[in-house]
């Protein structure tokens, strides 16, 4: 379904080079945003949330570097070339989405290792918002550092 595809895309592009736990953690951030009032109420809405502009063809397109997830508006083609990585991202997307619906019960991955994080960034960047929005640093998984709104 559409939610699985959107989640798989996000995991593929945001965490394709991360360990399994890092891929799951990125999926949890999407789920955590679904529960937060500042974000859309659908998986695809959260992932594709962006500032938009009208292009020369009259289509609404994301503004470069003005998206919640960088891959969506980095100016590169959003094509998933690595078939094995697509299958893995899709399997993880299904797992993470099953968590949100309670399908998995007490099985693996039902615990959110990000502890409710709604944001993350790669270790090699230092975004302004980590100090600017009252963010609490929660954990690091792979090469991503996870945050949630301060309490």
């Amino acid at each position: 379904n559409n939610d699985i595809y959107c989640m798989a895309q996000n995991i593929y592009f945001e965490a394709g080079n991360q360990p399994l736990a890092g891929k799951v953690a990125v999926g949890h951030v999407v789920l955590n945003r679904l529960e937060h009032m500042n974000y859309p109420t659908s998986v695809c809405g959260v992932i594709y949330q962006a500032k938009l502009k009208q292009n020369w063809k009259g289509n609404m397109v994301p503004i470069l570097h003005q998206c919640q997830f960088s891959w969506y508006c980095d100016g590169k083609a959003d094509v998933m070339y690595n078939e094995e990585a697509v299958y893995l991202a899709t399997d993880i997307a299904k797992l993470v989405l099953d968590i949100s619906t309670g399908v998995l019960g007490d099985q693996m991955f039902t615990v959110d290792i990000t502890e409710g994080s709604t944001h993350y960034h790669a270790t090699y960047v230092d975004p302004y918002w980590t100090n600017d929005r009252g963010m609490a640093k929660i954990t690091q998984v792979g090469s991503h550092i996870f945050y949630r709104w301060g309490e």
Side-chain angles (χ1 to χ4, degrees):
N1 76 28
N2 214 27
D3 286 349
I4 293 170
Y5 180 76
C6 293
M7 182 71 82
Q9 264 193 314
N10 203 49
I11 291 168
Y12 179 94
F13 289 115
E14 287 288 308
N17 65 347
Q18 297 300 299
L20 178 60
K23 291 173 173 57
V24 172
V26 165
H28 274 289
V29 166
V30 173
L31 296 181
N32 295 335
R33 286 184 178 196
L34 284 173
E35 301 299 319
H36 198 280
M37 65 182 176
N38 289 354
Y39 299 97
T41 57
S42 72
V43 171
C44 295
V46 166
I47 292 168
Y48 301 139
Q49 186 178 18
K51 292 184 180 175
L52 302 173
K53 68 176 181 181
Q54 190 172 19
N55 70 7
W56 64 276
K57 293 180 179 180
N59 301 323
M60 296 304 290
V61 296
I63 298 172
L64 191 64
H65 308 301
Q66 296 291 309
C67 300
Q68 294 294 316
F69 296 99
S70 59
W71 66 269
Y72 183 56
C73 64
D74 60 6
K76 299 176 186 173
D78 299 329
V79 179
M80 298 186 285
Y81 292 106
N82 184 326
E83 191 173 311
E84 185 178 325
V86 171
Y87 287 131
L88 179 58
T90 303
D91 286 346
I92 294 168
K94 289 175 186 175
L95 275 172
V96 170
L97 291 168
D98 283 348
I99 291 165
S100 71
T101 60
V103 170
L104 291 180
D106 293 331
Q107 293 180 17
M108 194 162 114
F109 300 130
T110 58
V111 173
D112 177 5
I113 60 174
T114 73
E115 299 179 25
S117 292
T118 53
H119 293 72
Y120 62 90
H121 65 80
T123 54
Y124 56 84
V125 297
D126 185 22
Y128 71 91
W129 53 259
T130 60
N131 299 314
D132 202 24
R133 297 182 183 173
M135 292 288 171
K137 182 178 175 183
I138 303 302
T139 191
Q140 180 174 335
V141 181
S143 61
H144 285 134
I145 301 171
F146 292 81
Y147 299 81
R148 72 173 173 242
W149 297 105
E151 293 155 17

